[in-house]
Amino acid sequence: MVLYSQDMQENITETNQTMETTENTNNIKVRLNLEDALKIASDNDKTLKQAEYDVKIAQAQKDGSFSDLFLPSLTVSGSLNLGETDSWSDNRNLTLTNWGDTLSASATLSKTLFTGFRNWNTDKANEVNLKMKRDAYYDSIKDVDLNTKLAFYNTFIAQENYRVYLQSQLNYSNRMNYNYIQYRNGQVSEYEYLNSRVQYENTKPQVITLSNQYQSLKLTFIRQIGLTNIADEVELVGNILDATNITVPDMAYEDLLTIIMNNNIELINMENNLQMLEYNKKVAKSYLWPTLTGSASVGVSTADKLRNNREKNGQFNWGVGFTLSYNLDSLLPFSSTAKSAEQIDLSIKQMEVNYSQLRDTIEVSSRDLISTARSQASNLESQAENARTAAYALQMAERQYRGGSISMLEVNDAEINYLNAQLSYLQAIYEYLSSSLQVLKLLGI
């Protein structure tokens, strides 16, 4: 963690060394940065895998409807019949039977030439569905990226909070030892020494609490990205100030809102669903048209030609035909065809109302999110300045205390202000990161 004063940087360096010593005793084996976490999460996320299969299923449906639209069907058949072909009596009145066989083979090529554009509209509906599944898949990738970053920095900030308190505990320990030496030398009262000792002891429960909180968040994060049973062997590494480099584009408020509305996955999915319903309505109404089917067939057959003669007689045949059919019941207003079209039409009208309502809701929430992100940016700058000021005030207090111009109580107040400023700054970083990442996701970045 990089802060804004030399003394603060030295304190953090000492804290990191202390943490590394502790981690070495705990056999830390994996140092996980954000880039590695994003890759692991992308490889292991179950929702993302399901979205990927949804795309493959939609692609198979699209390929099937394309085949129905353009490719004919080919049927081949063959048969072999063995049996009695005829019988007769000779001059001795004996009945003789002629046994023979019949072979045949045929191939038929057929294609529905016109179905009231049913196959065409079905293919178009499947094409829209494929696009919708692809959009959902890419949105799932963004969700994994967003959730992983938020969980990583949330855990990382818990780690930094623990380190800040650990450093504070170290400072109180050094001050307690220093006051003890001064007390033994008669330079400070026993009260000041005991007061510094109480302050040191008061840090222990908070350090334990923050350590447990950090370990719990780390375990949750490790499981979220798909790793198991290694939480105690993982340390998150990086620079917390990298989170402040993520910025929302400096654009006019309305321009940001327009981009967000055009890229919102919920609105896009509902638009696609409306389009699919339009195509499905056309499919339902396609039964109002006649169906025209064309076919062509070729065949060959062989059979015994003469009695008591095994000579075969071969015959070749072929034919071309067209069939025009029409379902008269589809014209009835209470038929299933008419009711299916009516049902889809009502569903379209209902979804249009839902679309309008959803658009209003998303616009309001997006405006609020943009405002929050910009206010968090201002708050981050304020907290950073406050952290710098608190660090400088603590340095001054410690120098004045060593010079004997102020009491230990004033140093303690400066220490508490410095600690609170650091924690507030870390929290401001996370809040800024959270709102900024959500805006960037809505922008499609």
Side-chain angles (χ1 to χ4, degrees):
M1 178 171 143
V2 180
L3 294 178
Y4 292 92
S5 70
Q6 184 64 30
D7 289 351
M8 292 174 70
Q9 181 61 44
E10 292 173 356
N11 289 341
I12 293 299
T13 302
E14 293 177 6
T15 306
N16 291 343
Q17 292 174 350
T18 304
M19 289 289 292
E20 288 174 0
T21 301
T22 304
E23 289 158 356
N24 287 336
T25 61
N26 292 333
N27 296 322
I28 295 294
K29 297 180 181 179
V30 180
R31 296 171 64 86
L32 188 65
N33 58 30
L34 178 59
E35 182 179 353
D36 294 335
L38 289 171
K39 185 178 184 306
I40 294 172
S42 178
D43 292 339
N44 295 326
D45 190 81
K46 299 296 189 299
T47 303
L48 189 58
K49 291 183 183 297
Q50 292 174 0
E52 184 177 355
Y53 279 114
D54 285 340
V55 173
K56 293 179 179 179
I57 292 172
Q59 182 66 62
Q61 292 173 339
K62 174 67 174 66
D63 293 341
S65 62
F66 181 84
S67 298
D68 290 339
L69 181 61
F70 292 104
L71 298 182
S73 61
L74 176 63
T75 304
V76 294
S77 61
S79 64
L80 170 63
N81 295 319
L82 300 176
E84 178 182 336
T85 58
D86 55 10
S87 61
W88 69 96
S89 299
D90 61 5
N91 52 11
R92 293 175 296 175
N93 294 323
L94 295 177
T95 301
L96 301 177
T97 301
N98 187 29
W99 295 88
D101 57 78
T102 302
L103 299 173
S104 65
S106 64
T108 303
L109 188 69
S110 63
K111 180 71 181 76
T112 303
L113 302 177
F114 181 76
T115 59
F117 306 103
R118 184 192 316 156
N119 291 342
W120 172 267
N121 289 311
T122 299
D123 183 67
K124 285 297 182 181
N126 288 335
E127 183 178 347
V128 174
N129 181 59
L130 176 59
K131 178 181 178 299
M132 185 168 60
K133 297 303 182 183
R134 285 174 176 169
D135 290 341
Y137 172 71
Y138 294 133
D139 190 69
S140 296
I141 294 177
K142 295 176 185 177
D143 279 337
V144 171
D145 182 86
L146 171 65
N147 294 332
T148 302
K149 286 179 179 178
L150 290 178
F152 177 88
Y153 279 112
N154 189 32
T155 308
F156 197 82
I157 285 175
Q159 175 181 282
E160 292 301 304
N161 285 339
Y162 169 56
R163 289 182 172 180
V164 166
Y165 264 94
L166 196 64
Q167 177 62 47
S168 178
Q169 184 184 59
L170 179 61
N171 292 341
Y172 280 123
S173 175
N174 292 336
R175 189 172 300 120
M176 179 185 67
N177 295 332
Y178 177 73
N179 285 342
Y180 177 73
I181 295 174
Q182 287 190 312
Y183 164 67
R184 292 290 300 269
N185 294 334
Q187 295 175 315
V188 299
S189 65
E190 183 179 7
Y191 172 77
E192 285 198 43
Y193 160 65
L194 292 177
N195 184 58
S196 62
R197 181 172 181 178
V198 169
Q199 289 177 332
Y200 167 71
E201 294 295 334
N202 286 338
T203 61
K204 290 183 178 179
Q206 186 64 25
V207 168
I208 294 174
T209 299
L210 290 175
S211 176
N212 292 337
Q213 180 183 2
Y214 163 58
Q215 293 298 331
S216 176
L217 286 173
K218 183 172 67 170
L219 178 61
T220 302
F221 172 68
I222 293 303
R223 289 176 176 173
Q224 176 180 325
I225 64 175
L227 299 178
T228 57
N229 301 325
I230 62 169
D232 293 336
E233 301 177 352
V234 172
E235 177 199 3
L236 303 186
V237 296
N239 189 336
I240 190 62
L241 292 187
D242 288 343
T244 63
N245 296 328
I246 298 174
T247 58
V248 176
D250 186 16
M251 299 174 60
Y253 191 94
E254 294 300 327
D255 292 339
L256 287 175
L257 186 62
T258 299
I259 296 174
I260 288 175
M261 299 302 290
N262 291 336
N263 285 279
N264 187 272
I265 186 63
E266 293 181 83
L267 292 176
I268 292 175
N269 282 344
M270 191 166 287
E271 290 170 359
N272 287 332
N273 279 320
L274 281 170
Q275 192 174 5
M276 285 180 59
L277 286 175
E278 291 288 352
Y279 282 122
N280 289 335
K281 183 172 72 171
K282 293 178 180 179
V283 170
K285 289 186 175 181
S286 66
Y287 294 97
L288 297 174
W289 295 80
T291 301
L292 177 63
T293 304
S295 63
S297 63
V298 294
V300 61
S301 61
T302 63
D304 288 339
K305 183 178 180 180
L306 298 173
R307 181 184 303 170
N308 293 328
N309 189 342
R310 304 304 298 175
E311 180 181 354
K312 295 290 184 179
N313 179 26
Q315 184 178 7
F316 175 80
N317 58 79
W318 64 274
V320 176
F322 295 93
T323 303
L324 183 67
S325 61
Y326 190 81
N327 294 324
L328 293 177
D329 63 314
S330 61
L331 296 175
L332 300 176
F334 49 81
S335 67
S336 60
T337 302
K339 291 301 178 181
S340 296
E342 180 183 356
Q343 178 184 352
I344 295 174
D345 192 53
L346 291 173
S347 297
I348 291 174
K349 293 179 180 179
Q350 181 187 44
M351 189 170 290
E352 287 174 345
V353 175
N354 294 337
Y355 177 81
S356 178
Q357 182 181 15
L358 178 62
R359 188 174 182 86
D360 292 340
T361 302
I362 291 176
E363 182 176 351
V364 172
S365 62
S366 298
R367 288 181 181 275
D368 181 65
L369 192 56
I370 294 173
S371 299
T372 300
R374 290 185 169 175
S375 64
Q376 292 297 345
S378 300
N379 180 57
L380 180 63
E381 294 178 2
S382 175
Q383 294 296 340
E385 180 63 29
N386 187 46
R388 288 193 293 266
T389 303
Y392 181 68
L394 177 59
Q395 295 171 21
M396 290 183 60
E398 290 175 340
R399 286 196 297 266
Q400 291 177 355
Y401 173 74
R402 293 189 184 98
S405 59
I406 64 173
S407 67
M408 177 57 65
L409 294 177
E410 292 174 285
V411 177
N412 290 338
D413 289 340
E415 177 78 21
I416 293 173
N417 290 336
Y418 167 69
L419 176 63
N420 291 334
Q422 282 187 297
L423 297 177
S424 297
Y425 179 51
L426 289 172
Q427 184 62 30
I429 290 177
Y430 179 76
E431 291 174 353
Y432 167 79
L433 172 73
S434 176
S435 58
S436 297
L437 284 178
Q438 291 181 66
V439 172
L440 291 177
K441 178 181 181 294
L442 293 179
L443 290 171
I445 300 177

